Amino acid sequence: MGQTSINLLIGVAAGFFGGLIGVGGGIVMIPLMVGVLKMKQHMAHGTSLVALVFTGLSGAITYALNGSVDIIAAVLLAPQQFLLPGLGQNLPIPCPKGNSRYTLGVF
Amino acid sequence: MLVALLLISKPYLPPIAEALTLWVKVVIFLLAGSFTGFLSGMMGVGGGTIMVPAMVLVAGFTQYTAHGTSLLAMVPIGFAGAYTHWRLGNVSTGILPGLILGILLGSYLGGSLAHLLSEERLRLIFAVILLWTGIKNLRTPKSKPKEKDKPTDGPVD
């Protein structure tokens, strides 16, 4: 199988999953990129974030066609996130993630 | 995991949402957004796992609307994150064309399938996936020295 078709398949899997449950699909994409394409962990994170924009767009359009998007709520949810990642962005590599991940797990 | 259990039991819980006024909801959205932004920056999660339960449980959205709204809210977040990673050279541009094409197709299919399912079933699927991710996180060994090179990883959506 060619490289492109592998990429395409990963994309379909991630998009399908993301579109179905309303998330970005990184849960699927990152393990696949690391496992199948042998990418470095943070390379996979970066690439998955770019891809996530498209999952969001295409997924939101699909939901909007079915009348299931609340634009006002999305506008309220988004802007702080636009600003805050700047704070956290420098943390993920140096800090031990064990604790926060544990917390998120319980959550 | 706690949230997943709450989601499953949602039909049996008293409807909190109807008791809330519009402004309380606005504040909740702003808070949920901040919390999500902080976590997504710190851990690389896109935020759907936090936003969707917040919308369903607190604001009383249907599961469909919560998913759609979460996807829309994800676009600017992804953009900000992607830009930062792009500048740091953490983006593999070679695989993007195939990946994006696949994603456009896949998310259309996923979104359409979601609307074919009943709301209860969709919520159950979401809760199961949340549980599964939660369990996966709990099993991740605490702070290994070379965390960033580990092959498998947790909650990134």
Side-chain angles (χ1 to χ4, degrees):
Chain A
M1 217 171 17
Q3 180 68 47
T4 318
S5 47
I6 296 175
N7 298 342
L8 193 73
L9 281 177
I10 294 179
V12 172
F16 180 75
F17 195 76
L20 180 62
I21 67 163
V23 299
I27 303 180
V28 180
M29 236 185 312
I30 293 184
L32 283 175
M33 283 196 273
V34 174
V36 181
L37 302 177
K38 307 287 172 228
M39 283 167 71
K40 285 260 167 65
Q41 189 72 39
H42 40 293
M43 201 78 170
H45 275 233
T47 312
S48 124
L49 274 167
V50 176
L52 191 141
V53 175
F54 294 91
T55 316
L57 268 177
S58 156
I61 291 170
T62 311
Y63 275 84
L65 289 176
N66 289 287
S68 306
V69 177
D70 189 326
I71 294 173
I72 297 170
V75 168
L76 287 173
L77 279 165
Q80 316 83 292
Q81 311 193 24
F82 204 31
L83 301 173
L84 280 168
L87 295 176
Q89 210 97 59
N90 295 323
L91 289 174
I93 297 154
C95 88
K97 290 193 276 189
N99 280 331
S100 53
R101 181 165 288 161
Y102 193 81
T103 318
L104 197 72
V106 175
F107 179 81
Chain B
M1 288 208 304
L2 295 177
V3 174
L5 295 177
L6 269 179
L7 274 173
I8 294 172
S9 61
K10 194 206 172 194
Y12 313 105
L13 294 174
I16 325 169
E18 280 140 45
L20 299 175
T21 63
L22 181 69
W23 286 108
V24 177
K25 281 188 190 173
V26 169
V27 171
I28 288 168
F29 282 139
L30 290 174
L31 283 177
S34 311
F35 184 57
T36 313
F38 180 69
L39 275 182
S40 76
M42 194 168 69
M43 313 188 40
V45 288
T49 34
I50 298 162
M51 284 189 285
V52 172
M55 284 186 274
V56 172
L57 290 173
V58 187
F61 278 29
T62 65
Q63 199 73 28
Y64 310 114
T65 316
H67 289 186
T69 310
S70 147
L71 283 167
L72 186 60
M74 200 174 287
V75 176
I77 309 158
F79 225 84
Y83 174 69
T84 313
H85 278 274
W86 192 287
R87 247 185 3 195
L88 295 171
N90 283 342
V91 176
S92 162
T93 41
I95 75 160
L96 279 180
L99 193 67
I100 289 170
L101 202 67
I103 278 177
L104 293 179
L105 184 70
S107 51
Y108 174 72
L109 292 175
S112 306
L113 176 68
H115 281 86
L116 295 176
L117 298 168
S118 76
E119 204 195 341
E120 285 72 30
R121 186 158 299 173
L122 188 59
R123 185 181 300 134
L124 193 67
I125 292 174
F126 184 81
V128 167
I129 290 167
L130 208 60
L131 264 176
W132 171 68
T133 334
I135 291 166
K136 222 171 88 176
N137 288 339
L138 292 181
R139 286 165 127 200
T140 311
K142 281 194 171 186
S143 47
K144 279 203 172 167
K146 279 213 161 182
E147 189 101 37
K148 61 176 178 182
D149 291 327
K150 253 182 354 172
T152 56
D153 231 329
V156 188
D157 67 89

